[in-house]
Amino acid sequence: MKIIIKFFAIALLISFVACKKDAKDPEPEPTPVTPAPTTGTLKLEFEHMVDTLPLDFVQSYVNANLDTFKISTLKYYISNVVLTKTDNSTFVEANSYHLVDVASPVSTILNIANVPVGSYKSLSFTLGVDSARNNSGAQTGDLDPAKGMFWTWTSGYIMFKLEGSSPQSGSTGKGLTYHIGGFGGVNKTQRNFNFNFASTTSNITGSNSPMIHLSVDLNEFFKNPTTINVATQFFQMSTGVNAKTYADNYADMISFEHVHN
Amino acid sequence: MNKFAIIIFLFGFLIFASCKVDPKIIEPLPSDNLVEVVPLGWPQPIYSFSVNTISEDKFVLGRALFYDPILSEDSTISCGSCHQQFVAFAHADHNVSHGIYDRVGTRNSPGLFNLTWHPLFMHDGGVNHIEVQPLAPISNTLEMGANINPVIVKLQASSKYRNMFLKAFGTEVVSSQNMFRAMTQFMGLMYSYNSKFDLYKRRENNVELSDAELRGYNLFLTNCNTCHKEPLFSDFDFRSNGLAVNPLVNDIGREHITNSPQDKYKFKTPSLRNIAKTAPYMHDGRFNTLQQCLDHYANVKPNLINLDPLLLNNGLPLSSQDKQDIIAFLNTLTDYKFLADKRFADPNY
């Protein structure tokens, strides 16, 4: 009998040692008092405009070249969101890739979760997807190529996609097609944005969910520094110097409006 | 004492069952184990299976997808239609690709093997990662014509695939990432390194090359190896080997991707492994025989745009005997074991 007991003991020991990574620590006792939250969620709202008019897919607008146009698709990536506190410490969102698709209103408000409690004075992000993720094979979430924002014949994300129509368009179908991409080199099309909240701060307490309002002016896509003439510039679906022209235009497309705490 | 034995047995079993075996160890398939291979003397591959860990279930799923026309818009064409095992996964007798509704493409379908060493894919290098490679034919309106979303819907609706995804990835939910990773397992494990030439190099089974083959090998080292570099038989760079431009197609090659005029008419150096099997040849399949390829190299027009400097002197100085010898050597690069490897065969036959 003693042998059997000894054997039990040894076997138990072995099974413990052999499966260390499977062994679960005992569950911690639930604490009766909920501690004060240490993080909260911040919302970034993108409001789309053409000059002073709110964007919809029905109205006609007029661009800097005085071409009349309508928009039917507007999608772009916002990535690598960073928030800076008043003490200059930063919060870098993990796995920070968001596809804004105007056809899907929920996607125009980004929920930035797990932001440490504190007061924040500035925000930065990139329009587009960094080069690393363009080179890393099959991705999930908003970077899933099934989202229709990945070029298949020349691998890489479409950073910004605007489609619509214009009677002045040089295309036979009067369409406007701008798929802007290119992730490396001199013609890369990602653009960085930095916003100081001026005299205000965005205060994360853990129980509120503050919102930062940003406005996106699509007329900026058609001007500054290059005024787009849709009679000749109605189609872009590849990387290169032309794509860069559009990216330089959208580099000042987003501006900071205000903070709601 | 009997009880004692049972207890020992039970404990042994418990220990076993409580530690799940590392997923890398897998059941042998018909002819071989599924493992990452770096043949002797080869460089490290570019794609490693460190994230996409190898399992038989993923491989089997990838193979099923590769051979299933469900991936094309009208469910008529599979990857295997244009990439056939008996010709090292090139397309036999087709100079340019033949897709859905009999649409004809502009490029020749290359053989598929040793893909994890390729830094870029396609004749123009437009695809930068093996995992996103399947997107290109699926979305090409001349090839399979489908968008990836309807394909995912079709796979999700199939109980066979739900079950296979469950086994491979622990979820019935079909995602493009899991689909592509499974296909990468199948394609990425298509290693070809057992040709007569490989056995000779590794001094296996007392394999010797004939005099003609050896002469051919030496000529190859002098004339071809800079571009078709051993052991993969490609430098994976983009070059113009002096083919006259076909004005009807005017395929600008690499420039299409880089927008750089220096890349006009440059194409990826193809591997010459299994070359005796992958006719027709060149990006547009313009040559049907190796003899025609060598005749081309022996007479290259020097005035072509971006012609590779190695070929500026009217091509390569090859006598007709030299050409015969080089062809004899190229014939030693066929890996019959690979062509017949049941693991890579269409499971429906």
Side-chain angles (χ1 to χ4, degrees):
Chain A
M1 215 39 209
K2 255 188 192 157
I3 299 176
I4 295 180
I5 291 171
K6 250 189 202 160
F7 176 76
F8 255 77
I10 291 170
L12 261 174
L13 199 79
I14 292 176
S15 68
F16 237 79
V17 173
C19 313
K20 216 177 192 169
K21 68 174 166 201
D22 285 354
K24 281 207 185 86
D25 289 318
E27 292 288 319
E29 289 285 309
T31 29
V33 266
T34 36
T38 53
T39 63
T41 296
L42 176 80
K43 293 181 190 295
L44 298 185
E45 183 180 34
F46 291 80
E47 282 173 284
H48 298 88
M49 319 284 290
V50 182
D51 277 338
T52 52
L53 303 169
L55 173 70
D56 62 39
F57 291 162
V58 185
Q59 277 196 69
S60 285
Y61 304 95
V62 177
N63 69 15
N65 198 48
L66 304 182
D67 304 319
T68 307
F69 68 97
K70 284 185 182 179
I71 291 179
S72 58
T73 300
L74 177 64
K75 294 187 191 187
Y76 54 89
Y77 279 107
I78 295 296
S79 66
N80 298 331
V81 174
V82 177
L83 288 156
T84 305
K85 275 190 189 173
T86 46
D87 67 3
N88 290 328
S89 62
T90 54
F91 164 78
V92 179
E93 190 190 25
N95 201 14
S96 181
Y97 300 94
H98 307 269
L99 180 59
V100 177
D101 177 356
V102 172
S104 150
V106 291
S107 77
T108 65
I109 300 178
L110 313 188
N111 286 305
I112 313 296
N114 302 318
V115 183
V117 166
S119 343
Y120 290 83
K121 61 171 185 181
S122 67
L123 158 74
S124 70
F125 55 72
T126 299
L127 192 165
V129 178
D130 50 73
S131 131
R133 288 297 177 115
N134 279 273
N135 270 313
S136 309
Q139 304 291 312
T140 51
D142 276 357
L143 294 178
D144 188 332
K147 302 272 177 189
M149 292 291 279
F150 190 82
W151 272 318
T152 57
W153 57 277
T154 176
S155 311
Y157 285 96
I158 299 170
M159 312 293 178
F160 176 98
K161 184 188 268 191
L162 186 157
E163 292 172 349
S165 60
S166 164
Q168 285 82 36
S169 165
S171 95
T172 39
K174 299 293 165 203
L176 300 178
T177 309
Y178 305 104
H179 296 185
I180 311 304
F183 58 81
V186 289
N187 292 324
K188 66 179 191 176
T189 52
Q190 303 94 331
R191 290 296 179 269
N192 297 324
F193 291 83
N194 269 298
F195 301 115
N196 286 315
F197 306 151
S199 53
T200 52
T201 53
S202 174
N203 300 320
I204 308 237
T205 61
S207 51
N208 64 346
S209 60
M211 170 117 77
I212 296 173
H213 286 258
L214 302 161
S215 89
V216 183
D217 179 1
L218 275 312
N219 252 357
E220 289 295 339
F221 176 78
F222 293 97
K223 66 170 192 222
N224 187 20
T226 305
T227 301
I228 301 301
N229 174 355
V230 303
T232 52
Q233 292 161 296
F234 52 84
F235 187 87
Q236 181 63 34
M237 241 196 224
S238 58
T239 63
V241 66
N242 292 333
K244 178 183 180 291
T245 301
Y246 293 105
D248 289 341
N249 276 4
Y250 64 56
D252 61 350
M253 173 180 78
I254 306 176
S255 49
F256 169 74
E257 290 293 311
H258 53 264
V259 172
H260 274 299
N261 277 309
Chain B
M1 233 35 220
N2 245 354
K3 255 191 208 159
F4 189 36
I6 290 173
I7 290 172
I8 291 184
F9 175 80
L10 270 180
F11 261 89
F13 182 76
L14 256 180
I15 291 170
F16 235 89
S18 60
C19 325
K20 278 228 180 82
V21 217
D22 213 353
K24 258 177 244 160
I25 304 164
I26 27 82
E27 293 294 303
L29 277 174
S31 63
D32 227 337
N33 280 332
L34 282 178
V35 285
E36 217 174 327
V37 173
V38 182
L40 199 70
W42 288 30
Q44 281 300 312
I46 288 183
Y47 183 87
S48 88
F49 293 91
S50 55
V51 175
N52 184 12
T53 48
I54 294 169
S55 82
E56 182 179 356
D57 288 326
K58 291 184 211 167
F59 177 92
V60 167
L61 170 59
R63 179 173 63 192
L65 291 166
F66 188 91
Y67 284 110
D68 196 333
I70 195 169
L71 263 48
S72 65
E73 181 185 278
D74 63 352
S75 295
T76 57
I77 301 251
S78 72
C79 311
S81 317
C82 298
H83 297 288
Q84 302 165 304
Q85 186 179 14
F86 75 103
V87 290
F89 294 96
H91 197 181
D93 301 324
H94 279 75
N95 50 5
V96 290
S97 65
H98 234 108
I100 53 162
Y101 312 124
D102 259 343
R103 290 175 191 151
V104 177
T106 56
R107 296 225 181 119
N108 180 15
S109 142
L112 307 181
F113 42 82
N114 305 333
L115 291 170
T116 51
W117 278 269
H118 289 228
L120 296 168
F121 298 87
M122 301 307 205
H123 294 294
D124 57 17
V127 172
N128 70 6
H129 199 285
I130 187 172
E131 287 176 3
V132 296
Q133 161 66 40
L135 263 174
I138 292 173
S139 335
N140 183 329
T141 48
L142 294 176
E143 291 185 350
M144 301 169 93
N147 167 313
I148 184 77
N149 287 308
V151 171
I152 290 173
V153 170
K154 281 196 270 180
L155 293 173
Q156 192 70 70
S158 145
S159 60
K160 169 185 150 192
Y161 279 111
R162 281 200 306 275
N163 204 10
M164 291 180 92
F165 274 87
L166 181 64
K167 280 173 79 181
F169 295 102
T171 167
E172 280 199 342
V173 178
V174 177
S175 71
S176 72
Q177 186 181 57
N178 287 345
M179 172 181 163
F180 294 148
R181 289 199 168 157
M183 295 182 80
T184 297
Q185 299 236 330
F186 176 63
M187 288 194 291
L189 290 172
M190 287 183 189
Y191 297 119
S192 176
Y193 60 101
N194 287 309
S195 66
K196 179 178 177 186
F197 175 75
D198 293 304
L199 299 184
Y200 162 76
K201 275 285 226 190
R202 297 200 298 261
R203 306 250 169 273
E204 273 175 38
N205 308 348
N206 300 319
V207 170
E208 292 297 341
L209 296 189
S210 72
D211 289 346
E213 289 164 352
L214 272 177
R215 282 198 307 273
Y217 179 37
N218 285 321
L219 286 162
F220 180 86
L221 290 176
T222 339
N223 290 290
C224 324
N225 193 55
T226 313
C227 306
H228 298 285
K229 195 159 169 277
E230 267 192 87
L232 288 142
F233 291 92
S234 173
D235 60 355
F236 298 119
D237 203 348
F238 298 86
R239 298 169 177 268
S240 160
N241 70 341
L243 297 171
V245 175
N246 173 352
L248 291 179
V249 183
N250 192 29
D251 190 337
I252 57 174
R254 183 73 180 145
E255 186 191 17
H256 188 47
I257 304 304
T258 61
N259 302 304
S260 162
Q262 291 112 285
D263 288 335
K264 197 182 215 78
Y265 304 133
K266 289 188 184 171
F267 294 90
K268 184 164 89 173
T269 312
S271 170
L272 298 184
R273 289 185 168 273
N274 300 304
I275 193 69
K277 294 288 169 187
T278 59
Y281 302 112
M282 305 301 171
H283 69 272
D284 56 2
R286 67 177 67 189
F287 297 140
N288 290 316
T289 63
L290 288 173
Q291 183 67 48
Q292 286 171 307
C293 295
L294 282 145
D295 289 345
H296 160 73
Y297 280 111
N299 182 20
V300 172
K301 306 261 178 313
N303 57 347
L304 292 162
I305 303 172
N306 293 326
L307 175 62
D308 198 282
L310 289 171
L311 302 169
L312 275 175
N313 209 358
N314 293 317
L316 303 167
L318 301 171
S319 70
S320 56
Q321 181 63 48
D322 293 345
K323 294 180 199 167
Q324 289 322 304
D325 292 343
I326 291 177
I327 292 173
F329 163 68
L330 293 177
N331 281 323
T332 69
L333 297 178
T334 305
D335 178 352
Y336 290 97
K337 191 176 169 209
F338 172 67
L339 302 184
D341 193 329
K342 291 234 162 38
R343 295 174 303 164
F344 306 128
D346 186 341
N348 307 308
Y349 293 102

